Amino acid sequence: MKRRQTLASLAALLVAGRASAGSDDPSNAAAECVIPAKAGGGFDLTCALARDAPQAVRPQRPPLAQRYLPGGIGALAFDRIATGRMGGPGTLVAFSSGSLLNLAHGRFGPHPDSAARWIAALGTDYGVIAVRSYSPLRRLQDVVAALRQDTARLAFGAGGTVGSQDWMKAALLVRAAGRDHKAMRFASFEGGGEALSALRGGHVDLFPGDVAEAQQAIAAVAPLRLLAVLADARLPGTLAGMPTAREQGVELVWPTVRGLYLSADVPVAAAHAWSEAFRQAMAAPGYAALREQLGLYPFSLTGAALNDFVQRELQRYRHLAFELGLRRW
């Protein structure tokens, strides 16, 4: 009996030890990256980068699985994290600047930003104004002129509803044309992939989305034409010839940071292990090429620096939401 009790105690200690090791560094265990929208949008790119970057540094890591959880362009995923119905050290969720915007003016429900642990910003994207390749709109000035003539003449289509970041880009473009953004036509879709499909099908006229998702669609031979990038200066690489909105007389700049968060209930040590894993991955040779393959641009933050950035962005978005007359839900 005593021998059996001793063996049982040793077995319990071994199991506890393995569990402790796994919780200390969950990046070494099986994990998943939740894509909180339908396929084909920017969250796909975030999880693809999160999957591939750590593998390049430590190939023996278990591959990061990917799972779709559409609903409110991130609202459903955040609610499940905040209420404890989803989470744990092995559940990473993709976020973007649009997620922070929605969080800032209450579109993620009654949950505070402290319901999440912000793990890593992996890169940044930039807004874009795109049309079908056979559209009569050939320059951003053509869009501005059409909006001045009749605000409801053109239909915008993008991921998210009123108050989302894509809606914000459309609203700011209408305001730049000297018209009331409340009179614009905007069709909401569950992610950029659906919106691009609607644009290709002729159901909407303009896509105020992001560069990376538009480039992925063009690479898949989608009949799209980019009119302007919403960066403060021309982007390097394949888009070096694409003018910014600012160059075309429209003061509209919209960066879209892409990153990952965990539940706030995850132990600090586990969150730190994830942040450190991504910090090492982003500092490794080859990361820049991997990020560029997905159409993203340099922006790397982890730890306290990322938390500070999130708080500044939340404050900025609250001011912008107030300026555009958006109420808190």
Side-chain angles (χ1 to χ4, degrees):
M1 175 68 74
K2 186 174 181 179
R3 183 173 178 272
R4 284 199 298 269
Q5 289 175 337
T6 301
L7 288 172
S9 298
L10 285 171
L13 286 170
L14 286 170
V15 170
R18 291 191 191 104
S20 175
S23 64
D24 285 343
D25 191 355
S27 65
N28 286 328
E32 66 175 357
C33 185
V34 176
I35 301 166
K38 290 186 178 179
F43 290 130
D44 280 270
L45 304 177
T46 306
C47 282
L49 190 53
R51 176 196 63 210
D52 296 341
Q55 287 290 112
V57 176
R58 200 184 303 172
Q60 68 273 24
R61 282 183 199 276
L64 190 65
Q66 299 186 59
R67 174 163 69 97
Y68 289 95
L69 184 62
I73 316 295
L76 177 61
F78 197 87
D79 178 74
R80 290 192 178 178
I81 286 287
T83 56
R85 287 180 290 167
M86 182 175 77
T91 301
L92 294 158
V93 185
F95 81 90
S96 70
S97 294
S99 309
L100 300 181
L101 173 63
N102 287 331
L103 184 58
H105 61 94
R107 296 188 64 84
F108 277 9
H111 312 301
D113 62 276
S114 58
R117 290 194 188 278
W118 308 98
I119 296 304
L122 303 178
T124 191
D125 202 350
Y126 288 94
V128 69
I129 304 299
V131 296
R132 293 182 298 281
S133 58
Y134 49 86
S135 169
L137 303 168
R138 306 196 67 83
R139 305 172 305 158
L140 192 61
Q141 291 94 330
D142 297 335
V143 176
V144 171
L147 291 171
R148 282 177 179 161
Q149 186 176 23
D150 180 4
T151 306
R153 177 180 171 185
L154 300 176
F156 294 89
T161 57
V162 173
S164 67
Q165 69 167 347
D166 290 348
W167 180 91
M168 287 276 189
K169 295 168 203 169
L172 292 172
L173 180 55
V174 170
R175 284 179 47 150
R179 293 293 181 259
D180 183 1
H181 64 279
K182 294 178 182 176
M184 72 177 178
R185 292 166 59 202
F186 184 89
S188 302
F189 297 93
E190 187 64 39
E194 273 200 342
L196 285 164
S197 294
L199 180 67
R200 291 194 298 269
H203 306 295
V204 296
D205 303 296
L206 293 158
F207 173 67
D210 290 314
V211 167
E213 55 191 358
Q215 281 191 296
Q216 294 283 319
I218 290 171
V221 201
L224 302 180
R225 181 193 306 134
L226 307 187
L227 301 184
V229 293
L230 309 185
D232 52 3
R234 289 204 182 194
L235 298 175
T238 58
L239 290 179
M242 175 58 56
T244 65
R246 181 176 282 172
E247 285 180 72
Q248 300 178 70
V250 178
E251 189 57 36
L252 178 52
V253 175
W254 196 280
T256 301
V257 172
R258 299 200 176 279
L260 303 160
Y261 70 85
L262 288 166
S263 166
D265 293 333
V266 169
V268 173
H272 176 75
W274 274 118
S275 291
E276 181 60 18
F278 284 110
R279 186 195 66 77
Q280 291 178 16
M282 291 187 288
Y287 178 77
L290 184 61
R291 186 194 61 234
E292 288 167 12
Q293 285 174 15
L294 294 170
L296 300 179
Y297 297 87
F299 191 85
S300 301
L301 286 179
T302 58
L306 177 57
N307 285 325
D308 291 345
F309 169 80
V310 166
Q311 295 307 315
R312 289 194 303 271
E313 289 297 278
L314 289 172
Q315 188 61 27
R316 183 170 73 88
Y317 288 141
R318 289 185 187 109
H319 284 307
L320 183 57
F322 178 79
E323 183 184 333
L324 291 174
L326 298 171
R327 64 183 178 86
R328 281 186 63 85
W329 269 255

